[in-house]
Amino acid sequence: LQARGHFVTLATLPAYRAEVEREGLTFLAVGPDLDPTDRALAARIMDARRGTEYLFRHVLMPGVRQAWADLRDAVAAADLVISHPVTFALPLLCEELGRPWASYVLAPMSFFSAHDVPVFPPAPWLRPLAARSPWLSRRLVAVVRDVTRGWTTEVARLRAERGLPPGRHPVFEGQHSATLVLGLFSPLLASPQPDWPANVRVTGAIPYNGPQTHVLSDDLARFLADGPPPIVFTLGTSAVAAAGPFYDESVKAVRALGHRAVLLVGQHAENQPSAPAGPDVLVVPFAPHVRLFPRAAAIVHQGGAGTLHQALASGHPMLVVPHAHDQPDNAYRAERLGVARVLRPSRYRARRVAEVLRRLLGEPSYAQAAERVGAAVRAEDGVSAACDAIDATSVAASARSAITPPA
């Protein structure tokens, strides 16, 4: 967008200032001021049963007023505002100030469709039951709607204080713009449903690999060159802070298989596996997925939207170990494509992991499906498609704002 002549401000957690500014973008700090490496917080947020509720009640809602204050001046001056599903202050501010607004989702789950009912982390077993009954699908989504309404009362209070009507459900239809909703995921994962917003544009994913996108460390480059493709184990950027026994069990599993492995353990000393190091296992904090995944035999990951799309694009089979939020639904969709198996964290033990990996690597159908899906995902250009959609909207928004100044 900036290369197309737009002035872009990225508003997010203070911890990401250096990374945003390194990319040449204007940064705006928005509360709550969280530490992404806080293991205790990550453990609460990534809990399958209560993690999403904890995130809403104890992290997001207490920060709504601060986010409103942090964002107000920037929103008032913007030609277009683009919101994430949990940036709850933004739709409210755009309504209050009369500013143009678009929204995006990173995963199909955010549409909460009763026609393609998602996997809800506290009860993943409900999804196959609901899929066989339209009534049960509608009822399940309605129950989730009622429950999550109680998590967002702070938004309702802020709306009332600002003299705004009650508005739409902040987690359901209230998160979606009436102008443009960007589905930043592969269309292979989900197709438009009758209860999706009418103005959705599914663009493909927006890949990002950090500032060292094109660089593999010398140790990793040598390891990859010295033997057959390894199995790569990663927990992305969130679940890695709540890894538990994941890396220890992973080392045991690959050694039982006689395979090599690369473990991406993040900046957490606790994630270093207790098993003795050897020439078959390399442990590194981070590696760009776009460079590493295509050189893997298989990828084991948590199912976050970013990691999932890099794994899909690699063209290799995957084992998904979903923790919370959209991850179980993403895992289900990857499994539906025939490229993945799914194993819950509570069942992630070396013997079972080895069995699943042996099947993924031994049955040709997984490799064939992964190659087919990978070619399709690599052909998608989510960046250009999203920018085109935003560009068209922002051009119209700019023309309107030149005539009608913000309130």
Side-chain angles (χ1 to χ4, degrees):
L1 286 170
Q2 190 156 277
R4 293 181 180 213
H6 296 285
F7 181 84
V8 179
T9 296
L10 184 56
T12 186
L13 301 181
Y16 294 114
R17 176 185 291 276
E19 189 163 354
V20 172
E21 292 180 343
R22 186 168 50 232
E23 296 289 347
L25 298 170
T26 300
F27 176 80
L28 175 63
V30 179
D33 188 358
L34 303 177
D35 177 4
T37 66
D38 185 331
R39 291 178 68 87
L41 179 62
R44 294 187 184 98
I45 291 175
M46 299 308 298
D47 178 74
R49 291 186 58 81
R50 297 290 186 182
T52 304
E53 181 179 2
Y54 182 89
L55 175 66
F56 276 67
R57 289 190 184 276
H58 300 286
V59 179
L60 297 174
M61 288 302 110
V64 165
R65 280 179 169 74
Q66 183 61 52
W68 181 94
D70 292 339
L71 290 164
R72 191 183 190 285
D73 290 347
V75 170
D79 292 321
L80 182 69
V81 179
I82 306 173
S83 68
H84 179 278
V86 299
T87 50
F88 295 111
L90 274 176
L92 186 155
L93 270 170
C94 290
E95 182 179 346
E96 181 178 358
L97 300 176
R99 305 316 295 149
W101 165 49
S103 60
Y104 69 89
V105 302
L106 295 173
M109 183 180 185
S110 291
F111 292 129
F112 296 105
S113 173
H115 297 270
D116 184 14
V117 64
V119 176
F120 295 106
W125 50 271
L126 278 174
R127 202 272 164 201
L129 295 177
R132 294 195 292 267
S133 167
W135 177 87
L136 185 55
S137 292
R138 292 192 298 270
R139 182 61 188 149
L140 177 59
V141 172
V143 168
V144 174
R145 181 187 181 91
D146 290 343
V147 169
T148 54
R149 173 72 83 173
W151 298 354
T152 60
T153 54
E154 196 65 23
V155 175
R157 280 194 285 266
L158 182 56
R159 291 184 66 89
E161 290 172 13
R162 303 304 306 170
L164 297 173
R168 302 179 300 168
H169 192 310
V171 180
F172 278 70
E173 67 278 3
Q175 67 160 293
H176 302 306
S177 164
T179 303
L180 172 67
V181 181
L182 295 167
L184 303 184
F185 54 82
S186 171
L188 295 177
L189 295 180
S191 56
Q193 299 298 319
D195 52 357
W196 281 20
N199 54 330
V200 174
R201 173 85 177 271
V202 178
T203 65
I206 309 295
Y208 179 68
N209 283 272
Q212 303 298 322
T213 297
H214 302 292
V215 178
L216 293 175
S217 69
D218 291 342
D219 287 346
L220 180 53
R222 282 194 296 269
F223 183 84
L224 293 172
D226 284 348
I231 300 172
V232 174
F233 296 82
T234 180
L235 289 176
T237 54
S238 298
V240 71
F246 176 82
Y247 291 107
D248 276 331
E249 297 297 326
S250 298
V251 172
K252 295 175 187 176
V254 292
R255 286 181 170 162
L257 287 171
H259 252 279
R260 304 198 316 150
V262 172
L263 276 60
L264 308 184
V265 299
Q267 301 296 333
H268 307 280
E270 299 89 340
N271 288 349
Q272 293 289 330
S274 58
D280 58 335
V281 175
L282 181 67
V283 179
V284 294
F286 168 82
H289 294 170
V290 70
R291 298 299 171 200
L292 176 59
F293 284 4
R295 301 180 66 175
I299 301 122
V300 182
H301 64 90
Q302 85 292 359
T307 309
L308 172 67
H309 279 90
Q310 295 283 11
L312 290 172
S314 77
H316 297 299
M318 65 188 80
L319 169 58
V320 189
V321 189
H323 285 60
H325 314 306
D326 62 336
Q327 295 171 8
D329 189 64
N330 293 337
Y332 151 72
R333 294 174 191 278
E335 188 173 44
R336 188 170 63 179
L337 289 173
V339 304
R341 297 292 302 275
V342 179
L343 194 60
R344 296 194 304 274
S346 61
R347 300 190 65 200
Y348 194 85
R349 296 294 179 267
R351 180 176 178 180
R352 180 61 176 155
V353 174
E355 290 174 358
V356 175
L357 287 172
R358 187 177 291 111
R359 181 173 176 183
L360 281 171
L361 296 171
E363 295 186 12
S365 62
Y366 289 106
Q368 292 164 0
E371 183 177 355
R372 182 175 63 254
V373 168
V377 172
R378 291 192 299 272
E380 298 167 5
D381 188 353
V383 173
S384 293
C387 286
D388 287 344
I390 293 167
D391 220 6
T393 303
S394 63
V395 167
S398 296
R400 288 194 298 272
S401 67
I403 299 170
T404 306

